[in-house]
Amino acid sequence: MESDIWKPSVILGILVLILILVNYPWIQWRANPSRTIDIVIIDKSVSDINYNEHKGLIWILNQQKIKDRNGHAYVNEESYYGFNPSAVNTIQSLPSTLRGKDLIYAADTYGIYKQEQQADRSYKQKLIYGGMKSEDVQKIQYATATGTTFVGEYNILGAPTDKEVRQQLENMFGIEWTGWKGRYYKELANVSTLLKQKYTLVAGEKWTYQGEGIIFINEEENMVVLDSSDLEARSFGVEFSEKGYEWSQVKGKTSYHGWFDIVEPRARAEVMAEYTMDLSQSGAEKLTAAGIPDHFPSITRFDHTTHYTYYFSGDYANRVDMPYPTQYIGWDAVMKFFVPRTHQNAFYWEVYVPVMKQIFSEIKASS
């Protein structure tokens, strides 16, 4: 009889313990105080209501309980400047001054385009809005002179940003833009029709590539394709330098599956992480012939004494979906544990989240 009473009690106790363990990170998140970091997010490439280009940044801001100076949480739909298709005035320009802001984050400025049919019945993309402008950079420069941290991502240096503006940005980030960009593909047969057409136009032959590979393309639309015969399997990814490891505590190699551009660091610029790949002889020869290095910066930091600037040579804040709870302490650690480093989502949890947490801590320490 006592045994029959004892068993349900043990089961109930175990269930209560599991419930406490599952809910404790949520309780802890609710109990922790919020932090104030006043951030300006620039995204000129929101063509629909998905807000992919800055969605990853917004998630980590909310998960870290970071709010603006008015105590408001950051939201995908409103907490940025650029093109907003859901607003009455679709173009949200930067305010007259950014001085006093803690962080300026330029997520994407590729812009908004529309297809226009040409006389030969082909279609050409016409720019509606986009690119970094000289007035944008001037406002950023004024703000950083008083200690504002500045982070920029892939494509704020490329078209449609003008050359003169690009050079100003290069000076701020301590880098030289080479004009080359690229992307890793798990399956080359799945590249866009536009890229296949460009390849046929440049190479004079049909696209027949399959399997794993990387496409490189420059301003003149010259293309270099590495396929499985040129590249060791799953060898393309991001590795932190010794200095970068001390700074971020991120070690090992993590796959990266998005667009990237190739930059060269100037004197005094610190390369915190690099893209690396393991090449066969044929792959090395292809890159050498095109003047493309086999490793190049992923994250570059430049110390201006009054502030840091960071250039992320990739689409790091870009997330298609973020169906993950923000009100949960340690959720990023859970995802790091379960997501393999070769998975396309690994980079966000293994690299982007800890890097942004480190930058947030720097801002808090200096404020």
Side-chain angles (χ1 to χ4, degrees):
M1 188 72 177
E2 290 180 2
S3 176
D4 291 340
I5 296 173
W6 177 78
K7 287 180 179 178
S9 299
V10 170
I11 293 172
L12 180 61
I14 292 172
L15 289 175
V16 169
L17 180 61
I18 291 172
L19 190 63
I20 291 172
L21 290 173
V22 170
N23 284 282
Y24 179 72
W26 176 81
I27 295 169
Q28 190 179 15
W29 188 95
R30 300 285 295 181
N32 282 352
S34 61
R35 291 184 284 164
T36 299
I37 301 181
D38 209 24
I39 303 173
V40 170
I41 302 171
I42 302 170
D43 186 353
K44 299 188 178 185
S45 303
V46 181
S47 58
D48 51 36
I49 57 173
N50 290 320
Y51 310 98
N52 293 344
E53 297 294 340
H54 61 265
K55 190 180 287 185
L57 174 60
I58 296 293
W59 187 90
I60 187 61
L61 288 172
N62 288 321
Q63 199 271 339
Q64 293 292 297
K65 293 191 78 171
I66 294 172
K67 298 186 177 182
D68 65 21
R69 66 174 57 181
N70 297 315
H72 300 145
Y74 291 93
V75 294
N76 290 318
E77 300 83 358
E78 300 173 6
S79 303
Y80 73 98
Y81 296 93
F83 193 85
N84 190 338
S86 64
V88 176
N89 297 314
T90 53
I91 296 176
Q92 310 289 316
S93 299
L94 288 174
S96 58
T97 181
L98 303 179
R99 292 170 74 94
K101 299 294 183 180
D102 297 310
L103 171 65
I104 299 170
Y105 193 112
D108 197 288
T109 61
Y110 179 67
I112 305 299
Y113 297 78
K114 70 175 181 179
Q115 296 273 14
E116 283 196 344
Q117 190 171 24
Q118 308 299 297
D120 60 0
R121 295 192 176 182
S122 65
Y123 284 87
K124 184 179 181 181
Q125 285 191 320
K126 181 180 179 181
L127 178 68
I128 298 174
Y129 167 76
M132 287 291 280
K133 305 299 181 185
S134 59
E135 54 266 32
D136 298 332
V137 175
Q138 191 174 58
K139 291 173 183 178
I140 294 170
Q141 287 174 327
Y142 286 154
T144 55
T146 57
T148 301
T149 301
F150 180 35
V151 176
E153 283 197 5
Y154 160 78
N155 203 262
I156 69 168
L157 300 176
T161 296
D162 292 337
K163 182 179 178 181
E164 293 75 15
V165 176
R166 180 200 309 149
Q167 290 172 341
Q168 290 178 293
L169 290 168
E170 288 174 329
N171 292 336
M172 296 178 74
F173 292 122
I175 57 175
E176 299 282 348
W177 187 65
T178 67
W180 282 100
K181 63 181 179 179
R183 183 169 185 171
Y184 165 86
Y185 286 88
K186 188 175 180 180
E187 177 50 67
L188 286 169
N190 296 334
V191 306
S192 69
T193 301
L194 180 61
L195 275 177
K196 291 178 181 178
Q197 290 173 344
K198 285 183 177 180
Y199 176 82
T200 300
L201 187 64
V202 172
E205 59 186 35
K206 290 187 67 175
W207 181 272
T208 58
Y209 290 101
Q210 293 183 330
E212 181 184 19
I214 305 173
I215 296 175
F216 296 90
I217 182 168
N218 68 4
E219 286 183 286
E220 290 76 36
E221 298 195 341
N222 297 316
M223 295 181 69
V224 176
V225 182
L226 301 183
D227 63 14
S228 56
S229 67
D230 305 312
L231 190 70
E232 293 296 326
R234 296 181 296 279
S235 70
F236 183 75
V238 171
E239 291 185 271
F240 280 75
S241 64
E242 185 176 339
K243 177 78 173 181
Y245 169 69
E246 293 174 2
W247 170 71
S248 68
Q249 295 300 297
V250 178
K251 61 182 177 179
K253 188 170 186 173
T254 305
S255 294
Y256 175 69
H257 292 247
W259 281 99
F260 58 84
D261 54 2
I262 301 178
V263 300
E264 297 174 350
R266 293 180 179 177
R268 295 195 305 111
E270 299 174 296
V271 177
M272 312 303 275
E274 286 189 320
Y275 294 107
T276 63
M277 64 193 100
D278 298 327
L279 300 169
S280 66
Q281 183 176 344
S282 63
E285 289 173 352
K286 283 183 179 180
L287 293 192
T288 300
I292 300 172
D294 60 3
H295 60 94
F296 41 89
S298 163
I299 299 173
T300 309
R301 181 174 74 174
F302 197 73
D303 186 352
H304 293 263
T305 67
T306 59
H307 66 282
Y308 283 125
T309 58
Y310 292 91
Y311 186 68
F312 297 168
S313 302
D315 244 351
Y316 293 175
N318 187 320
R319 298 289 293 174
V320 175
D321 256 333
M322 291 302 293
Y324 308 107
T326 56
Q327 299 183 9
Y328 203 88
I329 290 288
W331 186 257
D332 52 319
V334 172
M335 295 303 294
K336 283 175 68 175
F337 181 80
F338 284 105
V339 178
R341 283 198 132 163
T342 54
H343 193 274
Q344 63 179 4
N345 289 331
F347 183 86
Y348 182 78
W349 304 109
E350 292 277 355
V351 177
Y352 183 75
V353 168
V355 162
M356 290 310 303
K357 286 167 72 173
Q358 174 60 27
I359 291 174
F360 296 151
S361 69
E362 291 173 352
I363 293 170
K364 182 181 180 183
S366 63
S367 60

